[in-house]
Amino acid sequence: MSAFELQALLDGNRRALAKAITLVESTLDTHRQQAQEILEQVLPHSGKSIRIGISGVPGVGKSTFIEAFGLHLIGQGKRVAVLAVDPSSPIAGGSILGDKTRMEELSRREEAFIRPSPAAGALGGVAQKTRETMLLCEAAGYDVILVETVGVGQSEYQVAGMVDFFMVLMLPGGGDELQGIKKGILELADALVINKADGESVHLAQMARQHYTSAMNLLRHTSFWTPRVMTCSALEGVNIDAVWGMVLDYHLQALEEGAFQQKRSRQNRDWMHQLVQQMLMMRLKQNPAIKAMLPELERAVAEQEMTAYAAARQIMEQL
Ligand SMILES: Nc1nc2c(ncn2[C@@H]2O[C@H](COP(=O)(O)OP(=O)(O)OP(=O)(O)O)[C@@H](O)[C@H]2O)c(=O)[nH]1
Ligand SMILES: [Mg+2]
């Protein structure tokens, strides 16, 4: 990417942004190298957005919510980028956001940039690419980054670890089990937003709100922020402004507490350590001497001729 194109990216040119993201998502070594150079150059220009993670079981209304929320943000004068971490389709290029049908209006807006989930690739996987894409979008002047994920596998943890504010959309009615809500998720959430609070479900949604408010109060919170429970209707556009108001509240308080930057610093540090682990594992797997000795070590450990510890030590000594 030329200096000219880099400047275009910083000026908010979508084609330059898309090109940089393509390099980030590429699995070719030469592309990866170029991508890293671009990332280093944009780094000083990134980090100025509010990053919001949005999770929830399939069908809860994430796409519909993002459409309504994104349009509301644009109405507030913001530019919005929508990215996805989708563990369910690592090869096909992502199903989340794959159909932009529920984000029809948003995807037509000049102020919005919507990027479907990338394919997994090697190092760091989808989460790595989404993190890097986020930096590029910030450098291109997007004020709010929405990262969508479906409640599968580790993706919620990954997304919670890369955003400032993590919200989980819920359905009115039905207990945790029915909703497929994993227990740990409530502990990750800065907010639970009960969607589809419309029509006959308004009452159910209120009950769910009470239920989850007490459930959340039982959890121990170590940060300055007490997670909130709200209701909304993405379809009818009810309370969407209140959800944004809550995020702004959080942002203001976090800045005052110095917690905003602290959280980001911690996330960057954690991410570095995760990458080191992955890089080490990759080295291990590619090391010919280790490859050669591994079957025998595995056998010896399986048949209890050798302790797992001793075998692990032998492998480490080869590095
Ligand atoms: N009544 C009502 N229906 C809604 C609301 N939000 C979404 N829906 C409907 O719920 C269905 C699923 O909505 P999506 O936005 O596609 O849900 P999603 O969470 O993105 O689903 P996946 O992408 O499959 O994970 C659609 O038929 C929507 O029209 C709402 O606030 N009220
Ligand atoms: Mg969707």
Side-chain angles (χ1 to χ4, degrees):
M1 209 167 168
S2 66
F4 177 71
E5 283 173 309
L6 191 71
Q7 189 55 50
L9 191 163
L10 294 175
D11 290 340
N13 179 298
R14 305 163 69 98
R15 195 183 295 174
L17 174 60
K19 183 171 174 189
I21 295 175
T22 304
L23 290 174
V24 157
E25 291 179 351
S26 169
T27 46
L28 290 180
D29 271 348
T30 54
H31 288 171
R32 289 291 313 159
Q33 249 165 40
Q34 282 182 55
Q36 285 311 313
E37 279 163 26
I38 295 167
L39 284 165
E40 268 165 42
Q41 281 171 299
V42 304
L43 199 58
H45 305 278
S46 69
K48 291 179 201 108
S49 76
I50 301 184
R51 306 165 180 170
I52 306 173
I54 297 171
S55 182
V57 296
V60 70
K62 295 179 293 297
S63 304
T64 312
F65 176 83
I66 289 172
E67 161 97 352
F69 195 61
L71 290 172
H72 176 73
L73 292 175
I74 289 173
Q76 304 290 305
K78 306 288 184 202
R79 296 178 72 210
V80 185
V82 184
L83 313 175
V85 172
D86 182 0
S88 58
S89 60
I91 300 155
S95 65
I96 308 192
L97 307 180
D99 69 320
K100 292 186 184 171
T101 48
R102 302 229 188 288
M103 295 187 228
E104 215 176 331
E105 203 181 330
L106 189 63
S107 61
R108 279 202 303 263
R109 295 296 296 257
E110 184 61 32
E111 303 90 331
F113 182 82
I114 300 182
R115 186 82 181 185
S117 182
L123 188 68
V126 185
Q128 165 78 358
K129 291 168 182 184
T130 305
R131 278 169 191 265
E132 293 176 346
T133 299
M134 190 157 74
L135 298 178
L136 295 173
C137 290
E138 288 176 344
Y142 289 91
D143 309 293
V144 182
I145 316 278
L146 305 178
V147 184
E148 175 182 0
T149 192
V150 69
V152 170
Q154 291 295 304
S155 71
E156 285 152 316
Y157 292 90
Q158 290 177 340
V159 170
M162 68 172 82
V163 296
D164 305 311
F165 192 90
F166 184 69
M167 64 170 93
V168 180
L169 298 190
M170 317 265 285
L171 294 166
D176 297 0
E177 305 79 27
L178 262 177
Q179 296 219 21
I181 302 292
K182 289 169 269 171
K183 196 155 201 300
I185 298 313
L186 295 187
E187 282 153 39
L188 289 180
D190 296 303
L192 301 181
V193 179
I194 299 155
N195 188 36
K196 306 197 186 184
D198 47 43
E200 296 187 339
S201 297
V202 172
H203 180 63
L204 270 181
Q206 286 307 334
M207 284 183 4
R209 184 178 175 197
Q210 281 171 14
H211 168 77
Y212 283 113
T213 304
S214 12
M216 292 299 268
N217 285 340
L218 290 178
L219 300 175
R220 209 149 42 90
H221 298 293
T222 46
S223 96
F224 69 95
W225 176 256
T226 308
R228 296 193 195 164
V229 185
M230 314 186 61
T231 60
C232 80
S233 168
L235 200 62
E236 296 183 357
V238 178
N239 247 10
I240 300 301
D241 52 345
V243 175
W244 175 235
M246 167 179 63
V247 175
L248 287 179
D249 268 1
Y250 175 90
H251 187 222
L252 203 69
Q253 283 188 43
L255 287 177
E256 276 172 5
E257 299 279 332
F260 195 76
Q261 203 44 56
Q262 259 171 34
K263 186 172 181 176
R264 285 193 172 182
S265 303
R266 195 181 60 235
Q267 289 176 340
N268 286 340
R269 250 190 342 254
D270 289 351
W271 185 239
M272 180 191 77
H273 287 297
Q274 283 181 47
L275 285 177
V276 169
Q277 282 187 15
Q278 290 180 15
M279 287 176 183
L280 274 175
M281 283 310 289
M282 219 147 81
R283 274 254 174 108
L284 277 171
K285 282 186 188 145
Q286 287 165 353
N287 183 306
I290 293 174
K291 258 195 210 159
M293 64 199 271
L294 200 57
E296 173 52 22
L297 285 175
E298 282 180 345
R299 189 204 58 78
V301 168
E303 292 174 17
Q304 297 202 350
E305 287 167 19
M306 195 182 205
T307 65
Y309 181 81
R313 284 297 298 260
Q314 271 200 33
I315 291 171
M316 290 316 292
E317 272 157 26
Q318 281 297 328
L319 257 193

